[in-house]
Amino acid sequence: MTRTRRTITSLAALGLLLQAMPAQAAGSRFPEWVRPAVTYVDDQGWLLKADIQPNEPMTRATFAALMQGAFEGGYSKTDGLVTAGEVSAALVRALGKAPVAEGLQQVSSPDGWRPHVGRRFGTEIVSREMGLRYNRLEDEDALETSASEPMKQADAIYAVWKAKTSPATYAADALTSFSLPIYSETRRQVVEFALSLVGAPYIWGGEWSTPTPSGYPFGAQSHGGFDCSGFTWYVLKEASTTYSPTGRTYPGWSFPERSSSDMARAAVKKLAFDNLLPGDVVFFAPNGAEAKAADVYHVGIYLGKGWMVHSSGSRAGISLAEIGPGSWWSDQLAWGRRIITKN
């Protein structure tokens, strides 16, 4: 091959490469986890892939158009930005699970006490149990969204895609059996505070409801939210001059351990399920009651009547779970630990 022909061939190959580059760059705009959802809504003609900016907030008008395409309506606001709580509520209604959410919203104990929870409590729980929220990976934690914040386009598109194609509606229906027992005054305050945090996302290493405040002694946090042990810590750990959880009405208790396995290891008395009281910390491991503390991978706060509140990566934030006999969590339950020393 002559030098001239080699040059022409090389230039032609370079031209083909340059033509391909914009398509590759466009595809790389989207995090891998949302690409199937983006392709789906684009194929359906509900949103054009070229118009999607995955990490920018979604407008209410765009979400209304998306809901119109997916469910023939169900959301009508057009001004401003759509919040994560609005997305959850609209999809819960579209899937016919609003009565489940309302039941959670109105839950009370047999003596008539009703915990004061946020207005999105029910729909946030139901949407998470149906798998409509995606837990962004650690390097994307700053892009997470609490219920009251504008939702990123990628997260809203993912939520609609899951709602349309594979919602875990059976998990929502299981919530109809959720109920509360009668609590002492102290345990009532703990339960109410824990439930008030519903709507916060799962954040790896998260232990605060907002980005960590100035002077916080336990490390920086890019967005408010909790991992499982951080949530338990935030609800129960004693307050100090440098550590004072926002909005809590009780001082807390000695709780120096931070990881779930260290918390489990420090249990002076390992409580079996039948001996648990509301507010006790519950630990989970693959071998259940036969596990060692090093095997513990998850922790939550027992609410009574076989239910716990916890921050779960698979649920993308704080949710409820049944842990009593016959539940999935039951075989994983290792033991409980009592942190609350007085009623």
Side-chain angles (χ1 to χ4, degrees):
M1 183 182 293
T2 66
R3 178 180 298 179
T4 301
R5 289 185 63 188
R6 283 199 301 268
T7 301
I8 292 173
T9 302
S10 298
L11 289 172
L14 179 60
L16 291 172
L17 178 63
L18 291 174
Q19 290 176 18
M21 284 179 66
Q24 293 172 351
S28 65
R29 291 191 301 118
F30 303 106
E32 185 175 357
W33 57 268
V34 79
R35 289 176 192 172
V38 168
T39 299
Y40 181 82
V41 300
D42 181 73
D43 288 346
Q44 300 296 321
W46 301 337
L47 289 180
L48 294 179
K49 184 181 295 186
D51 295 336
I52 298 170
Q53 299 297 319
N55 292 325
E56 293 298 318
M58 179 171 281
T59 65
R60 284 174 169 149
T62 299
F63 182 66
L66 190 56
M67 288 293 293
Q68 181 63 39
F71 298 102
E72 299 183 348
Y75 186 83
S76 59
K77 293 181 180 180
T78 56
D79 293 333
L81 302 175
V82 67
T83 67
E86 289 175 311
V87 170
S88 295
L91 293 175
V92 167
R93 290 193 299 268
L95 293 171
K97 300 304 176 185
V100 180
E102 183 62 22
L104 293 175
Q105 199 72 37
Q106 301 298 324
V107 70
S108 62
S109 58
D111 60 353
W113 175 71
R114 179 179 295 171
H116 180 73
V117 294
R119 66 188 183 94
R120 299 291 188 189
F121 174 79
T123 51
E124 283 295 296
I125 293 290
V126 173
S127 66
R128 291 176 194 281
E129 289 304 299
M130 288 196 293
L132 307 187
R133 292 291 294 271
Y134 181 81
N135 174 37
R136 286 177 177 254
L137 301 180
E138 186 178 353
D139 61 353
E140 294 184 294
D141 274 346
L143 298 169
E144 284 282 11
T145 312
S146 297
S148 61
E149 295 177 320
M151 198 174 211
K152 308 297 187 295
Q153 294 176 30
D155 301 278
I157 290 167
Y158 178 91
V160 171
W161 171 63
K162 289 292 289 186
K164 189 65 178 177
T165 62
S166 56
T169 52
Y170 63 91
D173 293 337
L175 292 164
T176 58
S177 65
F178 176 68
S179 62
L180 299 175
I182 294 175
Y183 297 104
S184 67
E185 178 57 32
T186 298
R187 296 176 194 277
R188 180 181 289 183
Q189 292 180 54
V190 170
V191 167
E192 183 168 68
F193 183 66
L195 296 182
S196 75
L197 298 172
V198 165
Y202 184 91
I203 299 291
W204 177 257
E207 56 197 25
W208 202 261
S209 59
T210 62
T212 45
S214 176
Y216 181 73
F218 301 112
Q221 187 174 322
S222 60
H223 192 283
F226 307 90
D227 64 13
C228 64
S229 52
F231 170 68
T232 307
W233 216 49
Y234 192 73
V235 172
L236 293 170
K237 180 178 168 59
E238 62 187 340
S240 67
T241 56
T242 55
Y243 181 81
S244 183
T246 305
R248 218 174 65 177
T249 59
Y250 52 92
W253 297 267
S254 176
F255 199 15
E257 303 81 26
R258 176 58 179 81
S259 71
S260 57
S261 58
D262 285 345
M263 290 175 177
R265 187 175 292 108
V268 176
K269 182 179 181 181
K270 297 179 179 180
L271 301 173
F273 174 78
D274 290 342
N275 295 323
L276 292 173
L277 293 177
D280 287 345
V281 180
V282 284
F283 304 104
F284 301 89
N287 297 325
E290 303 301 319
K292 297 179 181 178
D295 301 324
V296 169
Y297 66 87
H298 192 61
V299 59
I301 298 173
Y302 189 58
L303 297 174
K305 292 197 171 183
W307 288 82
M308 73 170 173
V309 59
H310 64 145
S311 187
S312 165
S314 65
R315 297 297 184 261
I318 298 170
S319 192
L320 303 173
E322 191 173 8
I323 66 171
S327 68
W328 183 88
W329 285 104
S330 179
D331 291 338
Q332 303 280 308
L333 179 60
W335 57 83
R337 174 183 171 186
R338 188 150 299 149
I339 299 296
I340 301 173
T341 55
K342 293 182 181 180
N343 286 335

